[in-house]
DNA sequence: CACCAATGGTTGACGAATCAACTTTTGATA
DNA sequence: TATCAAAAGTTGATTCGTCAACCATTGGTG
């Protein structure tokens, strides 16, 4: 079969809407964080995870798993954030191969401000304009999609005889 | 007021879910297009718009508006796509300042394949796993958010006395 | 204990995105 | 018609993300 099932009217509205919302929203979030706090969204995510971790520190690979980042990206990004004084790194005593990343006082300052900003933006752009029912449905959809993506990731392509 | 209204349980589920879905989904879409067709998602969007335009061509600035891209990004990206033989550019006869971008035969070939792939992926990751009601709600939410983002973009910050 | 694959991270090179500065052309106005 | 601001694109510098190769440590097995 060379022709797939194309999307009908309703499906297309949902899909195109989702794609457009995605692009617009992520651009919005990133722009707001940058202009008001001087943090990119990736910066924000790093600091958010660190600030929520016990002691404000994590092993590099743990942080990488939380963010779903490749190790090289994480390493490069942390180098830049370290140069800006937002995080610190030192070798792990337990495992000499590894590094422990910790949030600095300056980083904590920034993430506190940024978190307020971020919640305000989330409300302003999305949350406050949806009904309780829509919020529930949105959460459900997001869960389904994430589970589906995880499944697709786990079984890359053995399916052929169905 | 220094403390914003933090998100309650339900709101947080929706917001975090949305963010996570967004990242996972866009990574998935991009990865699939790259590995199966050799096109990045940006490449795909450019070709999709061109292929839908009358004559398979558009003025650069029109393409930029459709994509919400800055002109420099568009220019650089088109240079790369041109080098790969996916699009062609020539000066506009009507306006000597401007350029007309057109999709090549090779570009049409690729976008045809990629579109099938893309629809399949959309179904596989999202569409086929949602109920009709969820699809409707998703479209509604996406519309609301996009309108809200447009409004925020139009009036950057005059609102203060509400 | 000697070897060796796997783990944890860094580095360098290249493709992509953004910003500012720079053409060229257009179109309005004095 | 001479001028000048705005519009349409390009270019160069910087930053960010990804890929592949690399180094150091660990831990298991013969």
């Amino acid at each position: 079969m060379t022709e797939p099932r194309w999307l009908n009217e309703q499906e297309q509205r949902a899909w195109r809407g989702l794609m457009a919302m995605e692009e617009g929203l992520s651009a919005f979030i990133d722009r707001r964080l940058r202009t008001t706090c001087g943090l990119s969204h990736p910066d924000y995510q790093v600091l958010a995870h660190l600030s929520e971790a016990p002691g404000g520190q994590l092993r590099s690979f743990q942080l990488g798993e939380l963010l779903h980042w490749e190790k090289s990206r994480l390493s490069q990004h942390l180098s830049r954030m370290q140069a800006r004084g937002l995080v610190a790194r030192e070798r792990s005593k337990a495992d000499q191969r590894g590094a422990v990343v910790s949030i600095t006082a300056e980083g904590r300052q920034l993430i506190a401000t940024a978190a307020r900003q971020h919640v305000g933006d989330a409300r302003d752009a999305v949350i406050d304009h949806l009904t309780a029912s829509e919020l529930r449905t949105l959460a459900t959809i997001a869960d389904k999609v994430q589970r589906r993506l995880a499944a697709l990731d786990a079984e890359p392509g053995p399916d052929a005889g169905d």
Side-chain angles (χ1 to χ4, degrees), chain A:
Chain A
M1 168 168 77
T2 172
E3 279 299 312
R5 284 154 46 228
W6 294 104
L7 303 182
N8 65 33
E9 189 71 23
Q10 176 60 58
E11 290 167 339
Q12 208 164 115
R13 280 222 321 139
W15 180 249
R16 296 207 172 192
L18 177 57
M19 291 286 99
M21 171 174 69
E22 217 177 88
E23 297 217 353
L25 194 53
S26 56
F28 173 74
I29 292 295
D30 190 68
R31 180 157 31 92
R32 297 282 284 198
L33 283 172
R34 274 181 206 277
T35 59
T36 66
C37 314
L39 290 178
S40 68
H41 192 214
D43 293 336
Y44 177 83
Q45 297 179 86
V46 168
L47 293 183
H49 280 297
L50 285 178
S51 72
E52 286 173 9
Q57 58 180 33
L58 284 170
R59 287 293 303 273
S60 267
F61 74 95
Q62 294 178 310
L63 190 50
E65 283 168 7
L66 289 171
L67 294 165
H68 301 113
W69 284 9
E70 301 178 18
K71 56 189 186 174
S72 73
R73 175 183 184 185
L74 182 61
S75 177
Q76 309 246 28
H77 202 95
L78 288 178
S79 293
R80 291 186 292 257
M81 292 183 72
Q82 186 174 20
R84 292 160 63 198
L86 304 179
V87 303
R89 276 190 290 188
E90 59 179 332
R91 296 201 111 190
S92 163
K93 312 219 155 154
D95 182 342
Q96 285 293 115
R97 292 170 297 184
V100 174
V101 188
S102 52
I103 186 170
T104 64
E106 188 178 351
R108 284 208 185 271
Q109 284 277 114
L110 260 181
I111 191 63
T113 308
R116 285 171 176 73
Q117 174 72 42
H118 187 68
V119 171
D121 290 339
R123 288 203 173 282
D124 206 5
V126 180
I127 300 297
D128 284 354
H129 306 281
L130 301 184
T131 67
S133 159
E134 286 168 341
L135 280 178
R136 262 194 312 277
T137 303
L138 178 55
T140 302
I141 291 172
D143 274 3
K144 280 189 181 181
V145 171
Q146 286 176 84
R147 267 198 291 277
R148 187 66 195 133
L149 289 175
L152 283 169
D153 207 37
E155 34 135 330
D159 180 84
D162 186 13

